[in-house]
Coordinates of all heavy atoms in Angstrom, one line a residue:
F909 N 120.3 -24.7 22.2 CA 119.8 -23.4 22.2 C 118.3 -23.4 22.4 O 117.6 -22.3 22.2 CB 120.2 -22.7 20.9 CG 121.6 -22.6 20.7 CD1 122.2 -23.3 19.6 CD2 122.5 -21.9 21.5 CE1 123.6 -23.3 19.4 CE2 123.8 -21.9 21.3 CZ 124.4 -22.6 20.3
T910 N 117.7 -24.5 22.7 CA 116.2 -24.6 22.9 C 116.0 -24.9 24.3 O 116.3 -26.0 24.8 CB 115.6 -25.7 22.0 OG1 116.0 -25.4 20.6 CG2 114.1 -25.8 22.1
P911 N 115.3 -24.0 25.1 CA 115.0 -24.3 26.5 C 114.1 -25.6 26.6 O 113.2 -25.8 25.7 CB 114.3 -23.1 27.0 CG 114.6 -22.0 26.0 CD 114.9 -22.7 24.7
P912 N 114.3 -26.4 27.6 CA 113.5 -27.6 27.7 C 112.0 -27.2 28.0 O 111.7 -26.3 28.7 CB 114.1 -28.3 28.9 CG 114.8 -27.3 29.6 CD 115.3 -26.3 28.6
A913 N 111.1 -28.0 27.4 CA 109.7 -27.7 27.5 C 109.0 -28.4 28.7 O 108.1 -27.8 29.3 CB 109.0 -28.1 26.2
D914 N 109.5 -29.5 29.1 CA 108.9 -30.3 30.1 C 109.5 -29.9 31.5 O 110.7 -29.6 31.6 CB 108.9 -31.8 29.9 CG 110.4 -32.3 29.9 OD1 111.1 -32.1 28.9 OD2 110.8 -32.9 30.9
E915 N 108.7 -30.0 32.5 CA 109.1 -29.6 33.9 C 110.3 -30.5 34.4 O 111.1 -30.0 35.1 CB 107.9 -29.7 34.8 CG 106.9 -28.6 34.6 CD 105.8 -28.6 35.6 OE1 106.0 -29.1 36.7 OE2 104.7 -28.1 35.3
A916 N 110.3 -31.8 34.1 CA 111.3 -32.6 34.6 C 112.7 -32.2 34.1 O 113.7 -32.2 34.8 CB 111.0 -34.1 34.3
T917 N 112.7 -31.9 32.8 CA 114.0 -31.5 32.2 C 114.4 -30.1 32.7 O 115.6 -29.8 32.9 CB 113.9 -31.5 30.7 OG1 113.4 -32.8 30.3 CG2 115.2 -31.3 30.0
Q918 N 113.4 -29.2 32.9 CA 113.7 -27.9 33.4 C 114.3 -28.0 34.8 O 115.3 -27.3 35.2 CB 112.4 -27.1 33.5 CG 111.9 -26.6 32.1 CD 110.6 -26.0 32.2 OE1 109.9 -25.8 33.3 NE2 110.0 -25.6 31.0
A919 N 113.8 -28.9 35.7 CA 114.3 -29.1 37.0 C 115.7 -29.7 36.9 O 116.6 -29.3 37.7 CB 113.4 -30.1 37.8
L920 N 116.0 -30.6 36.0 CA 117.3 -31.2 35.8 C 118.3 -30.1 35.4 O 119.4 -30.0 35.9 CB 117.3 -32.3 34.8 CG 118.6 -33.0 34.5 CD1 119.2 -33.6 35.8 CD2 118.4 -34.0 33.4
Q921 N 117.9 -29.2 34.5 CA 118.7 -28.1 34.0 C 119.0 -27.2 35.2 O 120.2 -26.7 35.3 CB 118.1 -27.4 32.9 CG 119.0 -26.4 32.2 CD 118.4 -25.7 31.1 OE1 117.3 -25.1 31.1 NE2 119.1 -25.7 29.9
A922 N 118.1 -26.9 36.0 CA 118.3 -26.0 37.1 C 119.4 -26.6 38.0 O 120.2 -25.9 38.6 CB 117.0 -25.8 37.9
R923 N 119.3 -27.9 38.2 CA 120.4 -28.6 39.1 C 121.7 -28.5 38.4 O 122.7 -28.2 39.1 CB 120.0 -30.0 39.3 CG 118.9 -30.2 40.3 CD 118.5 -31.7 40.6 NE 119.7 -32.4 41.1 CZ 119.9 -33.7 40.9 NH1 119.0 -34.4 40.3 NH2 121.0 -34.3 41.4
V924 N 121.8 -28.7 37.1 CA 123.0 -28.6 36.3 C 123.6 -27.2 36.4 O 124.9 -27.1 36.5 CB 122.8 -29.0 34.9 CG1 124.0 -28.7 34.0 CG2 122.5 -30.5 34.8
F925 N 122.8 -26.2 36.4 CA 123.3 -24.8 36.5 C 123.5 -24.4 37.9 O 124.0 -23.3 38.1 CB 122.3 -23.9 35.8 CG 122.3 -24.0 34.3 CD1 121.3 -23.5 33.6 CD2 123.4 -24.6 33.6 CE1 121.2 -23.6 32.2 CE2 123.4 -24.7 32.2 CZ 122.3 -24.2 31.5
G926 N 123.2 -25.2 38.9 CA 123.4 -24.8 40.3 C 124.8 -25.1 40.8 O 125.7 -25.5 40.1
A927 N 125.0 -24.9 42.1 CA 126.3 -25.1 42.7 C 126.6 -26.6 42.8 O 125.8 -27.5 42.8 CB 126.2 -24.6 44.1
L928 N 127.9 -26.8 42.7 CA 128.5 -28.2 42.8 C 129.0 -28.3 44.3 O 129.8 -27.5 44.7 CB 129.6 -28.4 41.8 CG 129.1 -28.4 40.4 CD1 130.2 -28.2 39.4 CD2 128.3 -29.6 40.1
T929 N 128.5 -29.3 45.0 CA 128.7 -29.4 46.4 C 129.8 -30.4 46.8 O 129.9 -30.7 48.0 CB 127.4 -29.8 47.1 OG1 126.9 -31.0 46.6 CG2 126.3 -28.7 46.9
V930 N 130.5 -31.0 45.9 CA 131.6 -31.9 46.2 C 132.9 -31.3 45.8 O 133.0 -30.5 44.8 CB 131.3 -33.3 45.5 CG1 130.1 -34.0 46.0 CG2 131.3 -33.1 44.0
P931 N 134.0 -31.7 46.4 CA 135.3 -31.2 46.0 C 135.4 -31.6 44.5 O 135.1 -32.7 44.1 CB 136.3 -32.0 46.8 CG 135.5 -32.4 48.0 CD 134.1 -32.6 47.6
S932 N 136.0 -30.7 43.7 CA 136.0 -30.9 42.2 C 137.4 -30.6 41.6 O 138.1 -29.7 42.1 CB 134.9 -30.1 41.6 OG 133.7 -30.4 42.1
L933 N 137.7 -31.3 40.6 CA 138.9 -31.0 39.8 C 138.4 -30.7 38.4 O 137.5 -31.3 37.8 CB 139.7 -32.3 39.7 CG 140.9 -32.4 38.7 CD1 142.0 -31.3 39.1 CD2 141.5 -33.8 38.6
Y934 N 139.0 -29.6 37.8 CA 138.7 -29.2 36.4 C 140.0 -29.1 35.7 O 140.9 -28.4 36.1 CB 137.9 -27.9 36.4 CG 137.6 -27.4 35.0 CD1 136.6 -28.0 34.3 CD2 138.4 -26.5 34.4 CE1 136.3 -27.6 33.0 CE2 138.1 -26.1 33.1 CZ 137.1 -26.7 32.4 OH 136.8 -26.3 31.1
L935 N 140.1 -29.8 34.5 CA 141.3 -29.7 33.7 C 140.9 -29.1 32.3 O 139.8 -29.4 31.8 CB 141.8 -31.1 33.5 CG 142.1 -32.0 34.7 CD1 142.4 -33.4 34.3 CD2 143.4 -31.4 35.4
H936 N 141.8 -28.3 31.8 CA 141.6 -27.6 30.5 C 142.9 -27.5 29.8 O 143.9 -27.1 30.4 CB 141.0 -26.2 30.8 CG 140.2 -25.7 29.6 ND1 138.9 -25.6 29.6 CD2 140.6 -25.3 28.4 CE1 138.5 -25.1 28.4 NE2 139.5 -25.0 27.6
G937 N 143.0 -27.8 28.5 CA 144.2 -27.6 27.7 C 144.5 -26.2 27.4 O 143.6 -25.4 27.0
A938 N 145.7 -25.8 27.6 CA 146.1 -24.4 27.4 C 146.0 -24.0 26.0 O 145.7 -22.8 25.7 CB 147.6 -24.2 27.8
D939 N 146.0 -24.9 25.0 CA 146.0 -24.6 23.6 C 144.6 -25.0 23.0 O 144.5 -25.2 21.8 CB 147.1 -25.4 22.8 CG 148.4 -25.0 23.4 OD1 148.7 -23.9 23.8 OD2 149.3 -25.9 23.4
D940 N 143.6 -25.1 23.8 CA 142.2 -25.5 23.4 C 141.7 -24.4 22.5 O 141.5 -23.3 22.9 CB 141.3 -25.7 24.6 CG 140.0 -26.3 24.2 OD1 139.5 -26.1 23.1 OD2 139.4 -27.0 25.1
N941 N 141.4 -24.7 21.2 CA 140.8 -23.8 20.3 C 139.3 -24.1 20.0 O 138.8 -23.7 19.0 CB 141.6 -23.7 19.0 CG 142.9 -23.0 19.2 OD1 142.9 -22.0 19.9 ND2 143.9 -23.4 18.5
C942 N 138.7 -24.8 20.9 CA 137.3 -25.1 20.9 C 136.6 -24.4 22.0 O 135.6 -23.6 21.7 CB 137.1 -26.6 21.0 SG 135.4 -27.2 21.1

């Protein structure tokens, strides 16, 4: 819940929140209560 203070981490976070450019698989449990 704390935004990164340094520029390198901010840039990394921007990449993480950006588009994913490779074919991807996402799995999720139907009964996940987390």
Side-chain angles (χ1 to χ4, degrees):
F909 303 115
T910 305
D914 63 284
E915 289 184 25
T917 307
Q918 290 170 0
L920 179 60
Q921 186 177 54
R923 286 182 57 206
V924 168
F925 288 161
L928 296 164
T929 59
V930 296
S932 300
L933 170 66
Y934 178 79
L935 302 169
H936 203 110
D939 303 326
D940 189 334
N941 285 324
C942 175

